[in-house]
Amino acid sequence: MPQEFHSQLEKLREQFSASLPEQARRLENIWSHLRHLNWSEQGIAALEQFAHKMAETSTSFAFTELRQKSAQLESFIHDMKSLGRHFGGPEYAQVEELVNQLIDVLNAQQPHSHAAITVPDHHPEAREKTIFLIDPDRTLAALCSAYLRRAGFTIEYFDNPHSCMQQLYLDSPDIILMDPDFEGVGLQALSNLHKIKALLLQNTPIVLMSGRTDLNAKLRALRAGSTDYLVKPIDFNFLIDKLLQLISLNNKTYRIMAVDDDESITSLQAEILRYAGMEVLCVNQPLHSLQRAAQFKPDLVILDMHMPDINGMELAVLLRQDPDFLLLPIIFVTADTDSNLHRSIRALGVNALLTKPFEANDLIECCRQALSDTSLLKTRVARITRHSQKPLQINRSYFFNALEEELHSNRLSGQTSALYYVSVDKLPELNQQLGQIELINLHEHFCGHLDDTLGSDEQWADLSNLVACVLAGTRSAEFHRQRAEQIAKYLSNHVYKLKGTQISLDVKIGVVLLEPALATANNALLRAEQVFEQQLENATHTEIAAVATTKSLPDFSQIVFSRDLSLAFQPIISLEDAQIEHFSVLTRLRNEGGEPIPAGQFLSRINQPGKRVQLDRWVLQQAVTAIAGNSGTRESATLFIHLAEETLQQNAFFSFAANVLRSSRLRGEDRLVFMLEENWIIEHFHLAREIAKALRDIHCSICMTRAGENEQALKIMEDLPLSFLRLSPKLTNEANNPKLLERFAQAANRRGIQVIATQIENSHNLSSLWMQGVRLFEGFFIQPPDEGFHLKNDIIFAKEFVQGTNYNL
């Protein structure tokens, strides 16, 4: 991790820190004017704007307390304005308290706790690519420039659009990144986009980044000609991927393969598409299509229906059976007008169907739309699947899901999986000795050596600096003890070099056998941490404990829904229909630092009677409000909602759900899908059938989750009206039981039940699942509802697509 880059970031942080007292005086002036102007709208807007800007900047520079206080003030003002309430009486006192707290934090200038710095990779494709950055905030612009230059871009910075326009007379960038300063001059600043676009000699992408999150601002920006709209604060690695994606797409020449036994037809198609800037390969012997496709690697295929030896539908199926072409866009061009044939063609999941004769513009537009839709689909698939540079490291979301699965797995007697908590002795002293930057450096080396020593049946995730967890495969307790000793010895014996100094780490490991009694992943992690702490107390290097002392777990029954809880949404994507918008609703509990805790870590500890029912009511109402208030999801999105067993016993809950739907703007069938676990349905089949009837009456449906853990569920599928089947990760991740997976998929397809594959860790699994009729996939990416959670608008483009390599499935 280059020290120069860290030094640059530290300098920028110090500059921001030095400016905080002046920001405190500015806030005091705003507050003073606001009180004397009798709470004018302009004064309230200025105060809200200051809080938003401070929250945005402090987030970028990792000032945690400042971000929290700024966000609290902004949120309170926003809520008061939304409710139409006046700032008087108790409200005045609350605002004054929040303002004073923020002033105190600004004046304190206490050293901030750094978040772990992720240094962006140097991207060869960014070399010689120039970005014009327009941002009135010089501090954030300097931080953004540091990251972009580190990635390999050349940056030219302008603090206003007019100076950028002067430069455009002399030079043309590869992309323009611009903050239109909505807060300063309002949406009128978008007029600059038209002037900038008029000066560009080519179709240069223009990306806007702003602190405004409202839909009106986004629509105005897109209509003004921007290519994309990003909300501040921005994840700089996400920004880099986005810029690389846009540059790649802007420079890409698409490869089209046209297949028709009539040479004159393919020649006509080729002339039209080459005029549109595409590279075209004509194939007039359909049986050679697969071989030619393997050589040409087309981005899209155009097929005729009626051809000798093989028809277009048969050829489409054969192409899609090749894993390399699973997501290949296909357009049919046929003179046959038979409606039944058209339905059969569309059932293959093709992108478009044109009837001969066709207009040239129609063919070009169909190809462009199909390429665009497929690009979005590929990036959505890339986003929900894991893309780790280290094959054994997995993201934390997947790690804890995998841990939960292991806790509920049935094992042979004497054999079990285990969780290893890996860390070092005297970590606080080490932190103080090295400082945050060097500790991060040490952590990377530590994780690298941990990764080197782990085997194929061991997965790991880092939790914080010099703290990691390992999920080890099914073995005996004695094996786990010896294996932990081996890992600890390997990591302790390695010498780490930092700034010419050699450092040895005293690594210790807490081991917990994953037994069902632990119940949740959080409990398992807590026990492993306790064993690790016991290791520190014993001060031994060789003894690895496998039994943790039991501590009483806290009761989370006193949570306040609107204050302590938040929702997140996990997309479920379709490989056939880009318009399908399914979201699994997840509950999160904010900890003291404001970070969201997954539901599995606290729901089981809500012990107060009736509290889970109240929670489910709150989740339902908040989730429906979220998608109903978003124009991108209001018309078609489906919510998948988990219910507690206590809630399932309450008939009144489904009447409540009906009332929530009636009072919302959601219309249509199956907008709400309630998720019931397979084992619960088996044990409570009669109640499940009553629930299914109640849900049909209110136009909702059921999804059976963890399907495939019990073969008895195959009979349930015949007797219970299910709309969705959410497969157990045991069936989808490693294909441990392909025959059982095939039976469940076939049974679901016969009944018209849509199948969802879960926790897709690797995109290579998609091909075999698709061939068995699985069309819906749920990965690990999770979206909060306040970031425009429409799948087509918020995309991370995977590195393999940015680099122009093939999407290997």
Side-chain angles (χ1 to χ4, degrees):
M1 192 178 288
Q3 186 60 37
E4 181 182 354
F5 179 72
H6 282 289
S7 299
Q8 189 176 7
L9 295 190
E10 283 304 310
K11 183 177 179 180
L12 292 171
R13 282 174 171 146
E14 289 171 3
Q15 292 173 352
F16 175 69
S17 179
S19 72
L20 294 183
E22 177 60 32
Q23 296 293 344
R25 287 189 288 273
R26 183 184 170 203
L27 177 56
E28 288 174 342
N29 289 335
I30 294 174
W31 177 238
S32 176
H33 285 297
L34 181 59
R35 288 179 295 175
H36 289 98
L37 291 176
N38 196 25
W39 295 92
S40 67
E41 290 186 9
Q42 295 87 346
I44 294 172
L47 183 61
E48 184 180 18
Q49 173 190 327
F50 178 90
H52 173 83
K53 196 70 177 177
M54 195 53 58
E56 174 186 305
T57 311
S58 59
T59 299
S60 298
F61 285 102
F63 281 66
T64 305
E65 186 178 8
L66 180 56
R67 174 185 63 81
Q68 291 173 351
K69 296 301 180 184
S70 302
Q72 287 174 6
L73 176 58
E74 179 193 11
S75 178
F76 183 80
I77 297 174
H78 176 77
D79 291 345
M80 293 296 294
K81 290 171 62 178
S82 299
L83 294 171
R85 296 172 63 178
H86 297 290
F87 290 83
E91 291 79 13
Y92 173 88
Q94 285 185 268
V95 175
E96 184 174 38
E97 181 182 357
L98 292 172
V99 168
N100 288 333
Q101 289 177 2
L102 181 52
I103 290 173
D104 290 341
V105 173
L106 288 168
N107 282 320
Q109 296 191 74
Q110 296 177 352
H112 56 283
S113 58
H114 299 332
I117 300 175
T118 303
V119 176
D121 294 331
H122 187 85
H123 297 270
E125 60 270 33
R127 187 181 304 165
E128 299 181 358
K129 303 298 182 184
T130 301
I131 297 175
F132 280 10
L133 173 61
I134 311 171
D135 195 325
D137 189 329
R138 292 177 176 271
T139 303
L140 284 181
L143 183 63
C144 182
S145 298
Y147 275 91
L148 295 178
R149 288 194 179 100
R150 167 62 190 163
F153 293 106
T154 298
I155 307 298
E156 291 195 36
Y157 169 65
F158 309 92
D159 60 4
N160 64 80
H162 300 290
S163 58
C164 176
M165 285 187 273
Q166 293 176 3
Q167 184 65 24
L168 286 174
Y169 286 105
L170 305 174
D171 192 13
S172 182
D174 294 281
I175 200 164
I176 293 177
L177 183 62
M178 174 182 175
D179 185 338
D181 189 21
F182 287 124
E183 297 83 6
V185 294
L187 292 175
Q188 295 302 320
L190 290 175
S191 61
N192 290 317
L193 254 66
H194 300 290
K195 299 175 183 178
I196 290 173
K197 289 180 73 69
L199 294 172
L200 295 171
L201 300 177
Q202 54 190 2
N203 189 27
T204 302
I206 301 177
V207 177
L208 297 186
M209 51 182 187
S210 170
R212 285 190 57 161
T213 60
D214 57 285
L215 181 63
N216 180 51
K218 296 179 181 181
L219 287 176
R220 290 284 298 274
L222 293 174
R223 289 168 181 169
S226 69
T227 309
D228 209 333
Y229 184 101
L230 305 178
V231 177
K232 288 184 174 181
I234 292 173
D235 181 306
F236 292 113
N237 288 304
F238 169 83
L239 176 63
I240 291 167
D241 284 344
K242 172 63 70 176
L243 297 177
L244 290 171
Q245 170 200 1
L246 292 174
I247 291 173
S248 174
L249 292 177
N250 196 49
N251 298 332
K252 182 176 177 61
T253 299
Y254 289 102
R255 301 158 68 89
I256 313 297
M257 187 173 80
V259 182
D260 196 312
D261 60 304
D262 189 333
E263 186 174 348
S264 62
I265 295 295
T266 56
S267 297
L268 174 62
Q269 294 171 353
E271 183 176 351
I272 293 170
L273 297 176
R274 285 171 184 149
Y275 172 78
M278 304 178 191
E279 181 182 349
V280 184
L281 171 68
C282 298
V283 178
N284 302 119
Q285 295 178 296
L287 286 178
H288 295 171
S289 299
L290 296 178
Q291 181 182 358
R292 301 298 298 277
Q295 297 168 347
F296 184 60
K297 302 293 185 184
D299 298 300
L300 180 146
V301 170
I302 301 173
L303 298 177
D304 183 32
M305 177 57 205
H306 299 293
M307 298 181 292
D309 301 321
I310 185 171
N311 64 45
M313 290 181 64
E314 294 169 335
L315 185 53
V317 171
L318 290 175
L319 279 169
R320 288 282 175 81
Q321 285 179 348
D322 187 330
D324 286 342
F325 298 131
L326 173 61
L327 301 181
L328 178 71
I330 297 176
I331 294 176
F332 267 81
V333 179
T334 179
D336 198 323
T337 59
D338 180 53
S339 58
N340 291 327
L341 175 63
H342 284 200
R343 279 195 295 271
S344 298
I345 291 174
R346 293 186 187 281
L348 293 174
V350 300
N351 295 74
L353 191 155
L354 283 176
T355 304
K356 299 176 185 177
F358 54 83
E359 295 291 334
N361 286 337
D362 291 340
L363 179 62
I364 293 172
E365 182 57 31
C366 275
C367 289
R368 285 177 173 169
Q369 187 63 48
L371 289 165
S372 174
D373 289 345
T374 302
S375 175
L376 289 172
L377 177 59
K378 286 181 177 181
T379 58
R380 290 163 69 188
V381 170
R383 190 164 194 176
I384 69 164
T385 55
R386 177 176 60 88
H387 294 278
S388 174
Q389 295 180 353
K390 297 179 179 179
L392 294 178
Q393 184 184 14
I394 55 181
N395 64 48
R396 296 175 192 173
S397 175
Y398 173 79
F399 184 90
F400 284 102
N401 277 311
L403 186 53
E404 291 277 0
E405 289 296 326
E406 287 297 323
L407 287 169
H408 294 92
S409 298
N410 295 320
R411 300 299 185 189
L412 297 175
S413 177
Q415 301 283 316
T416 184
S417 51
L419 177 67
Y420 304 168
Y421 185 97
V422 186
S423 189
V424 300
D425 194 5
K426 297 182 175 57
L427 182 56
E429 293 87 341
L430 195 61
N431 189 4
Q432 185 175 5
Q433 173 190 346
L434 297 178
Q436 189 70 20
I437 301 301
E438 289 304 321
L439 191 67
I440 293 171
N441 281 329
L442 180 60
H443 174 70
E444 285 200 346
H445 292 304
F446 173 82
C447 288
H449 291 297
L450 175 63
D451 186 67
D452 291 340
T453 192
L454 295 182
S456 59
D457 65 339
E458 295 168 330
Q459 300 171 323
W460 70 277
D462 59 337
L463 303 182
S464 61
N465 286 335
L466 299 182
V467 180
C469 278
V470 176
L471 180 59
T474 306
R475 295 289 190 274
S476 67
E478 178 60 19
F479 173 89
H480 287 304
R481 187 189 68 79
Q482 294 182 8
R483 177 61 176 142
E485 286 184 357
Q486 185 184 47
I487 296 173
K489 183 177 181 180
Y490 175 87
L491 296 175
S492 297
N493 288 342
H494 188 81
V495 177
Y496 301 85
K497 295 182 180 179
L498 297 173
K499 288 185 175 181
T501 303
Q502 294 185 342
I503 296 177
S504 296
L505 299 177
D506 184 5
V507 177
K508 291 184 170 58
I509 300 181
V511 181
V512 165
L513 304 181
L514 296 180
E515 300 172 343
L518 289 170
T520 68
N522 188 58
N523 288 349
L525 181 60
L526 177 63
R527 300 288 182 85
E529 186 177 7
Q530 291 168 359
V531 176
F532 169 79
E533 291 173 352
Q534 183 180 328
Q535 292 284 307
L536 299 184
E537 293 174 1
N538 295 339
T540 61
H541 296 273
T542 57
E543 181 180 354
I544 306 296
V547 180
T549 58
T550 302
K551 291 185 179 179
S552 59
L553 300 177
D555 179 4
F556 284 106
S557 295
Q558 302 305 315
I559 57 174
V560 178
F561 294 148
S562 59
R563 183 195 68 197
D564 301 331
L565 295 174
S566 62
L567 295 184
F569 294 80
Q570 191 162 26
I572 302 171
I573 72 165
S574 168
L575 289 189
E576 288 192 338
D577 188 347
Q579 301 302 316
I580 289 179
E581 300 282 330
H582 294 326
F583 296 94
S584 179
V585 181
L586 309 177
T587 310
R588 294 291 183 262
L589 176 68
R590 300 185 187 96
N591 62 17
E592 294 179 357
E595 299 299 323
I597 300 173
Q601 298 185 28
F602 71 90
L603 284 182
S604 61
R605 290 182 248 167
I606 296 179
N607 301 321
Q608 188 178 40
K611 197 70 172 182
R612 289 296 301 275
V613 178
Q614 294 178 37
L615 175 60
D616 285 342
R617 284 174 174 251
W618 181 85
V619 168
L620 172 63
Q621 197 157 24
Q622 293 296 314
V624 168
T625 299
I627 67 164
N630 184 302
S631 62
T633 54
R634 183 184 306 135
E635 299 301 323
S636 59
T638 300
L639 290 177
F640 287 71
I641 298 178
H642 302 261
L643 295 179
E645 185 169 348
E646 183 180 1
T647 304
L648 296 174
Q649 309 288 340
Q650 302 287 331
N651 293 331
F653 177 83
F654 300 103
S655 300
F656 170 78
N659 291 331
V660 170
L661 275 177
R662 278 195 293 268
S663 61
S664 73
R665 291 186 285 178
L666 303 184
R667 299 293 180 266
E669 300 288 324
D670 293 341
R671 301 301 301 279
L672 293 181
V673 180
F674 293 96
M675 306 175 78
L676 310 182
E677 286 197 6
E678 178 186 84
N679 288 335
W680 186 89
I681 293 178
I682 293 173
E683 294 175 6
H684 305 85
F685 176 72
H686 295 294
L687 178 56
R689 192 156 52 184
E690 292 178 10
I691 291 173
K693 181 179 183 304
L695 290 176
R696 282 200 306 271
D697 292 341
I698 62 173
H699 307 289
C700 300
S701 57
I702 288 179
C703 171
M704 182 163 68
T705 68
R706 293 185 181 272
E709 296 185 358
N710 193 321
E711 291 192 38
Q712 188 178 345
L714 289 167
K715 179 66 168 59
I716 296 292
M717 292 170 59
E718 301 293 330
D719 300 331
L720 190 68
L722 300 172
S723 296
F724 295 90
L725 191 73
R726 188 168 175 264
L727 295 173
S728 168
K730 297 176 184 178
L731 294 184
T732 57
N733 278 346
E734 303 297 336
N736 291 330
N737 196 337
K739 291 185 178 179
L740 184 59
L741 171 61
E742 183 178 0
R743 290 175 63 191
F744 270 91
Q746 289 178 351
N749 291 331
R750 285 197 307 270
R751 300 280 297 177
I753 301 171
Q754 298 186 64
V755 183
I756 304 170
T758 62
Q759 297 182 16
I760 302 300
E761 178 189 355
N762 195 308
S763 55
H764 288 266
N765 297 336
L766 296 178
S767 179
S768 60
L769 291 167
W770 186 86
M771 293 304 300
Q772 296 189 63
V774 180
R775 296 294 183 266
L776 298 175
F777 297 86
E778 178 184 274
F780 308 104
F781 171 61
I782 297 174
Q783 292 176 279
D786 57 351
E787 293 185 1
F789 57 96
H790 196 262
L791 289 177
K792 291 177 288 186
N793 294 336
D794 188 15
I795 296 170
I796 290 178
F797 200 82
K799 186 178 297 183
E800 50 262 55
F801 299 123
V802 175
Q803 294 174 341
T805 56
N806 292 325
Y807 187 70
N808 297 317
L809 292 173

